[in-house]
Amino acid sequence: MSDFDFERLRRWPDVEAANLFASDAADHLILDEAADALESARPGEVVVLEDHYGALTLGASALHGATGIRVHQDALSGEQALARNAAGAGLAGAFRSLDLGEELLAGARVVLLQLPRSLSALDELASTVVRFAAPDVRLFAGGRIKHMTTAMNTVLERYFGRIDVSHARQKSRVLVATEPRSVPRELAGELPHAAWPRCEEHPDVGLTVCAHGAAFAGTTIDIGTRYLLEFLGRMNTDARGDEGAIDLGCGTGVLAAALALRNPGIRVLATDQSAAAVASARATMIANGVADRVTVVRDDTLTGRPDASAGLIMLNPPFHIGASVHAGIALKLFDDAARVLRPGGELWTVWNSHLGYRSVLNRVVGPTHQVGRNAKFTVTVSTRR
Ligand SMILES: C[S@@+](CC[C@H](N)C(=O)[O-])C[C@H]1O[C@@H](n2cnc3c(N)ncnc32)[C@H](O)[C@@H]1O
């Protein structure tokens, strides 16, 4: 076995801080549990899902000789971190990043997975593995015990006949799923593998919301988002740039779809760094008949947009990073919204009132007014100075 220095991995361009790490004990346990399978795999038979920053992919390559690894990560920042870490370790040629689907999983016999938090995300991953991988595929799904629940085993049991649970090590565990079922039990009789994305009608707001497993809020409408929807009619949609308006961190695209439906002449750009969000938002636009006016792209913040180019940005910022509550990501989104807004352009934001974002919005974007507040949320509009 050769050597690999996990300490050299970085999270960049994701938020970095002293209490946030680029690899964890679950990465090490997954690699150890899968060691024999990895070492006997032929080129192209190993797939890595939801690697955080590259520890699984680069560990499988450097420590266990896996080649032709195919990788899918929902977070663009994770994908970019893997690429940078691979370049730093001289392993850029060891893997390819792909969308969740057939090209990723066809013929896979060893799949490594950092368990996602959401059961829906796990459901879509497991169902896609079973749909496309080899009949003798082995899935090594690990995580920190504090984030694991027995409901995860139940999800895996829908798709696999056998689940073995590893011993615990450094507060981590691995579920080894084998004997994939040809047709998932609950879905037998329905279209077996067409369950994602799922769509739900919301007649109260006149929208259909479509969601892949890992998308924020699934097919429901988040209560903060629902509150921001009440203010759509007050947003300045006259200010037209190339983008018209931007839904930053669009998730399933609720805000973009609702704005487009309300303003038949407007063009909207919806962006998110999550692959599942982007696929979901595209499906939502089609379901609401606005796909011709809403462009959905995967981007980290608004990196692909020029300075001072937009008149309106809507944002319901995230405030959880993995397990740790951290304002870093919201601040990064505020910063980039400020860069992309033209002078006089508006940032409409909804946030949990206890987060007290008003002063930071004042400082980063421009004069910020509270336009609404309910028991939980505050809606502000910040005008770019
Ligand atoms: C609270 S959710 C809101 C989703 C959607 N706008 C809604 O209201 O239902 C925040 C979204 O921000 C996205 N996000 C997080 N970090 C991001 C980044 N660096 N760039 C773009 N989007 C990001 C997440 O993937 C998530 O979909």
Side-chain angles (χ1 to χ4, degrees):
M1 189 196 284
S2 26
D3 215 12
F4 182 72
D5 184 3
F6 288 92
E7 296 296 317
R8 294 193 57 187
L9 295 176
R10 287 192 54 189
R11 297 165 53 98
W12 184 259
D14 204 350
V15 177
E16 300 199 293
N19 62 337
L20 298 172
F21 302 96
S23 66
D24 65 14
D27 288 318
H28 295 278
L29 190 57
I30 293 168
L31 287 168
D32 286 352
E33 290 291 319
D36 291 344
L38 288 168
E39 281 160 27
S40 57
R42 290 191 294 261
E45 288 182 347
V46 175
V47 169
V48 177
L49 302 175
E50 294 313 312
D51 201 358
H52 290 167
Y53 302 98
L56 289 178
T57 308
L58 302 178
S61 167
L63 299 178
H64 302 293
T67 56
I69 303 172
R70 289 170 284 171
V71 182
H72 175 77
Q73 293 157 282
D74 183 60
L76 181 59
S77 55
E79 202 175 297
Q80 292 169 335
L82 165 59
R84 282 166 180 259
N85 285 324
L91 292 170
F95 68 95
R96 288 183 294 150
S97 289
L98 295 163
D99 287 337
L100 186 60
E102 184 167 7
E103 194 184 351
L104 174 76
L105 281 152
R109 297 182 63 219
V110 183
V111 179
L112 310 186
L113 166 67
Q114 263 280 2
L115 282 163
R117 292 296 204 80
S118 123
L119 294 176
S120 300
L122 180 59
D123 187 295
E124 186 167 16
L125 291 167
S127 71
T128 313
V129 169
V130 167
R131 181 175 180 192
F132 296 118
D136 62 351
V137 65
R138 280 179 284 174
L139 170 67
F140 297 85
R144 311 303 308 276
I145 290 169
K146 65 181 175 187
H147 300 148
M148 291 171 73
T149 65
T150 53
M152 291 177 167
N153 300 45
T154 309
V155 170
L156 291 176
E157 281 162 7
R158 282 181 203 146
Y159 301 103
F160 292 89
R162 176 168 177 172
I163 312 293
D164 292 297
V165 183
S166 80
H167 62 285
R169 194 177 81 194
Q170 291 180 289
K171 302 181 180 169
S172 302
R173 232 185 245 291
V174 174
L175 308 175
V176 184
T178 49
E179 301 172 12
R181 300 181 194 279
S182 51
V183 177
R185 263 181 317 191
E186 281 86 340
L187 302 178
E190 303 174 24
L191 284 178
H193 297 297
W196 299 101
R198 295 178 178 161
C199 297
E200 182 180 344
E201 285 181 31
H202 296 273
D204 53 332
V205 290
L207 278 182
T208 299
V209 178
C210 298
H212 283 270
F216 170 78
T219 59
T220 68
I221 298 180
D222 169 63
I223 46 172
T225 307
R226 194 175 274 279
Y227 189 39
L228 187 54
L229 284 177
E230 292 180 21
F231 299 87
L232 280 188
R234 292 170 59 181
M235 296 179 187
N236 180 6
T237 50
D238 305 332
R240 296 186 193 283
D242 289 342
E243 299 83 7
I246 297 177
D247 178 356
L248 173 55
C250 64
T252 54
V254 171
L255 295 167
L259 190 78
L261 282 172
R262 194 187 168 94
N263 299 277
I266 201 173
R267 295 196 63 84
V268 186
L269 176 73
T271 79
D272 203 294
Q273 68 131 10
S274 148
V278 166
S280 307
R282 289 197 178 121
T284 296
M285 300 318 147
I286 292 168
N288 292 283
V290 294
D292 55 334
R293 291 187 292 119
V294 182
T295 306
V296 185
V297 298
R298 187 169 179 224
D299 198 359
D300 179 17
T301 64
L302 293 170
T303 306
R305 308 315 308 166
D307 295 359
S309 59
L312 171 63
I313 298 180
M314 302 175 291
L315 173 63
N316 175 4
F319 63 96
H320 290 285
I321 292 191
S324 37
V325 176
H326 200 283
I329 192 70
L331 301 184
K332 185 170 143 177
L333 292 167
F334 295 160
D335 267 342
D336 217 32
R339 179 185 66 76
V340 168
L341 279 176
R342 73 163 68 88
E346 293 179 349
L347 172 65
W348 285 76
T349 313
V350 60
W351 33 274
N352 227 301
S353 300
H354 73 83
L355 292 169
Y357 281 149
R358 195 158 154 192
S359 61
V360 68
L361 286 164
N362 255 314
R363 180 163 43 80
V364 171
V365 184
T368 297
H369 302 288
Q370 177 179 310
V371 290
R373 188 174 172 126
N374 64 17
K376 218 170 160 193
F377 295 101
T378 299
V379 170
T380 52
V381 55
S382 309
T383 306
R384 183 75 178 111
R385 61 169 73 84

